[in-house]
Amino acid sequence: MKVINKIEEIKKITEDSKKNNKTVGLVPTMGCLHAGHASLIKKSVAENDLSVVSVFVNPIQFGPNEDYDKYPRTLDEDIKLCSELGADYIFAPSPQEMYPNLEKFSDLTMVAPPYKFTDMLCGKSRIGHFDGVCTVVTKLINITSPDRAYFGMKDIQQLFIIKKMVKDLNFSVEIVPCPLVREETGLALSSRNKYLTPEAKTNALTISKALFAIKSGVERGITDTKLLFDTAMTVLAPSIELDYLEFVRAEDFEPVESITEPTIAAIAAKVGNVRLIDNIIIGE
Ligand code: PAF
């Protein structure tokens, strides 16, 4: 397994592979890899001749008051995990390599997903976040020309927006959704879990518990999302600051009031100053 920092170098490697009829899998990440990422990497290794894991903390998807500077960077551990899992390359460019004129942000060409899908859920409090995500994912796809790109279902809004971007802009890549991975406690795996103190972690567990309460409510026949919301609120630790808990149709992300078809219950909440997201599919 080799670490590549330069765009032209990884571009040549993946282009040569394609010329030799080898399939390429891309696993875009911001590093600090955990078992959730490992499941994506394993799938890419199983399904492609060559797998590239990108490790890049993308500055343009963080707001001015977000955690870009302190986002955990653990490249040595990431390299170890990727080589154990059989990935072929880590692409770990510098911000300068990806955005040579980052200081002149207004000069940067951005890929902007529809406002309808960014002015909701995470996009409401993270202005410009999905423009930053779509721009970097477009660049990573153009750089590595993958046949398949792997994304986790924990970032369910990101996955929906990327799938839409790929369809609307006619990208030649298959987006492969991979199931959300949880700890045995139920907590959804996230690089940001690293920030949690033991006490914060106990509180954080109530986020997935609230979603499980919604699921069991639906299984008992409750369909009214207001009632399901109230059920979840009785479970969520009082110290947790809720950003949103919303119910959207799985197919098209339209908000729903009653669960009559597959629906995503998506939550974002702050535990201390750590913002966590989670979701569950109900009504299947
Ligand atoms: O999900 C992430 O880790 C990031 O948003 C992604 C897709 C790697 C883009 O920076």
Side-chain angles (χ1 to χ4, degrees):
M1 219 246 353
K2 227 178 140 196
V3 181
I4 310 278
N5 306 114
K6 296 289 172 206
I7 292 176
E8 286 314 315
E9 204 179 330
I10 193 74
K11 208 164 194 261
K12 184 165 182 335
I13 291 167
T14 50
E15 278 171 4
D16 286 351
S17 298
K18 307 268 316 209
K19 275 186 208 139
N20 292 324
N21 289 327
K22 293 200 165 142
T23 55
V24 174
L26 169 68
V27 184
T29 81
M30 297 205 300
C32 191
L33 304 180
H34 50 64
H37 297 111
S39 71
L40 274 58
I41 298 168
K42 275 187 206 152
K43 201 164 164 56
S44 174
V45 170
E47 294 179 350
N48 300 283
D49 297 313
L50 186 133
S51 287
V52 179
V53 179
S54 63
V55 172
F56 178 62
V57 185
N58 176 34
I60 66 166
Q61 71 184 70
F62 287 80
N65 299 320
E66 294 184 10
D67 56 346
Y68 174 69
D69 287 331
K70 71 171 183 127
Y71 195 86
R73 287 153 170 94
T74 58
L75 189 59
D76 289 344
E77 288 160 43
D78 296 346
I79 293 172
K80 197 164 167 276
L81 182 69
C82 286
S83 58
E84 277 165 15
L85 295 173
D88 300 280
Y89 294 96
I90 284 187
F91 174 50
S94 65
Q96 191 60 24
E97 177 73 5
M98 287 294 269
Y99 307 113
N101 54 0
L102 187 58
E103 311 74 47
K104 281 181 115 191
F105 186 71
S106 55
D107 280 7
L108 196 67
T109 302
M110 299 285 287
V111 180
Y115 187 61
K116 176 177 174 195
F117 298 113
T118 58
D119 185 37
M120 66 188 306
L121 308 179
C122 286
K124 250 200 151 96
S125 59
R126 303 193 72 189
I127 309 297
H129 169 70
F130 290 109
D131 296 13
V133 169
C134 285
T135 302
V136 79
V137 170
T138 299
K139 283 177 71 82
L140 291 169
I141 289 175
N142 285 339
I143 291 166
T144 60
S145 318
D147 296 272
R148 301 180 188 87
Y150 296 79
F151 292 89
M153 289 171 73
K154 182 171 81 68
D155 296 291
I156 196 88
Q157 186 179 11
Q158 166 173 286
L159 174 64
F160 178 82
I161 286 174
I162 288 172
K163 271 166 69 181
K164 182 158 173 52
M165 170 184 83
V166 160
K167 183 163 177 268
D168 290 355
L169 302 184
N170 310 96
F171 284 53
S172 302
V173 60
E174 182 194 344
I175 299 299
V176 185
C178 302
L180 184 155
V181 181
R182 299 184 182 281
E183 279 187 356
E184 262 178 34
T185 59
L187 183 70
L189 294 188
S190 162
S191 305
R192 290 191 170 95
N193 291 350
K194 279 223 154 134
Y195 301 144
L196 297 170
T197 61
E199 192 199 339
K201 189 161 175 193
T202 309
N203 289 328
L205 294 183
T206 65
I207 295 177
S208 52
K209 288 207 172 93
L211 294 179
F212 300 149
I214 289 175
K215 194 168 175 73
S216 73
V218 174
E219 283 161 2
R220 289 195 316 275
I222 305 175
T223 55
D224 182 347
T225 55
K226 284 197 186 77
L227 284 178
L228 293 167
F229 181 97
D230 292 344
T231 307
M233 287 308 105
T234 62
V235 176
L236 206 63
S239 63
I240 288 185
E241 190 190 318
L242 184 68
D243 179 355
Y244 64 78
L245 167 58
E246 289 185 33
F247 299 83
V248 294
R249 200 154 58 192
E251 194 193 334
D252 55 10
F253 263 59
E254 286 295 331
V256 297
E257 287 176 5
S258 177
I259 313 294
T260 56
E261 55 196 315
T263 299
I264 297 161
I267 188 167
K270 269 185 149 182
V271 186
N273 50 14
V274 185
R275 186 174 184 281
L276 298 175
I277 60 171
D278 198 348
N279 70 81
I280 203 159
I281 302 184
I282 51 180
E284 285 182 295

